């Protein structure tokens, strides 16, 4: 009997029950992701995920939402309000769970979405920024923190059947 090692993707973390975050996985991470039983991947990077990951998503019958595509978007620009609202709508729909939110490294775009969700949960800014910085490491982007601070949670449509954690 061979034992299989379960290796999480870069910057993997649990946001809430059945809601996760990470950077783009590689083949070594697929058995770990398979154990999560994912129904939905929210992909925030401007470019497509790599082909092996796309094949994995297809093989597992996982729904992929690619929200990072904006033709004029520079990789260094902060995420747009429109993308945050689209991602929030997906995250606030329990039928999409288990779900993972991803970008290339799971730092900035993913961290901004999670920061806005934490703001919706009424976390204080100190706690939100601590979590953002934990994943961003030495590459903190002040523009992302400013975006989170100024994000208007009143723009988010919260469905009647929202997740229990909200």
């Amino acid at each position: 009997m061979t034992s299989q090692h379960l290796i999480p993707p870069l910057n993997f973390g649990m946001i809430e029950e059945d809601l996760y975050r990470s950077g783009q996985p590689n083949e070594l991470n697929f058995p770990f992701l398979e154990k999560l039983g994912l129904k939905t991947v929210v992909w925030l990077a401007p470019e497509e995920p790599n082909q092996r990951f796309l094949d994995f998503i297809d093989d597992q019958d996982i729904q992929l939402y690619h929200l990072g595509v904006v033709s004029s978007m520079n990789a260094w620009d902060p995420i747009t309000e429109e993308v945050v609202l689209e991602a929030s709508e997906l995250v606030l729909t329990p039928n999409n769970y288990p779900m993972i939110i991803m970008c290339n490294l799971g730092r900035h775009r993913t961290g901004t979405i999670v920061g806005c969700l934490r703001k919706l949960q009424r976390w204080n800014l100190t706690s939100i920024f601590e979590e953002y910085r934990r994943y961003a490491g030495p590459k903190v982007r002040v523009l992302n923190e400013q975006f989170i601070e100024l994000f208007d949670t009143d723009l988010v449509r919260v469905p009647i059947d929202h997740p229990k954690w909200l």
Side-chain angles (χ1 to χ4, degrees), residues 1-164:
M1 183 173 139
T2 61
S3 68
Q4 186 174 25
H5 297 287
L6 298 177
I7 304 165
L10 179 70
N11 277 325
F12 177 82
M14 183 175 181
I15 301 168
E16 292 292 340
E17 185 178 347
D18 284 337
L19 180 60
Y20 309 96
R21 64 173 294 160
S22 79
Q24 181 167 209
N26 61 44
E27 298 80 28
L28 293 174
N29 309 131
F30 294 168
F32 177 88
L33 292 176
E34 196 170 341
K35 293 279 188 194
L36 298 178
L38 296 170
K39 285 175 72 177
T40 308
V41 169
V42 176
W43 179 256
L44 301 169
E47 60 280 342
E48 288 283 324
N50 70 48
Q51 190 57 50
R52 287 187 179 127
F53 183 47
L54 288 172
D55 293 343
F56 171 79
I57 289 170
D58 191 46
D59 291 344
Q60 298 295 314
D61 281 330
I62 298 170
Q63 179 69 48
L64 172 67
Y65 293 93
H66 187 184
L67 304 183
V69 185
V70 176
S71 58
S72 65
M73 184 175 269
N74 176 334
W76 293 95
D77 287 343
I79 202 163
T80 66
E81 188 174 79
E82 178 186 12
V83 170
V84 172
L85 294 174
E86 282 183 62
S88 298
E89 188 174 323
L90 292 167
V91 170
L92 294 177
T93 305
N95 287 342
N96 292 329
Y97 285 38
M99 173 190 292
I100 193 163
I101 302 168
M102 298 177 155
C103 59
N104 283 328
L105 298 174
R107 290 180 180 167
H108 305 295
R109 295 171 196 277
T110 300
T112 302
I113 296 289
V114 173
C116 291
L117 289 173
R118 297 305 192 196
K119 194 168 179 185
L120 198 60
Q121 289 179 291
R122 302 188 192 280
W123 280 29
N124 66 53
L125 282 175
T126 303
S127 298
I128 293 170
F129 292 158
E130 191 281 326
E131 182 179 43
Y132 171 81
R133 290 171 184 160
R134 189 171 348 123
Y135 287 94
K139 305 274 188 186
V140 169
R141 293 185 183 160
V142 176
L143 280 177
N144 289 341
E145 290 183 339
Q146 184 181 44
F147 181 95
I148 294 166
E149 183 175 359
L150 299 175
F151 180 69
D152 183 1
T153 56
D154 289 338
L155 297 174
V156 178
R157 285 185 303 231
V158 178
I160 293 169
D161 64 336
H162 60 74
K164 293 177 278 184

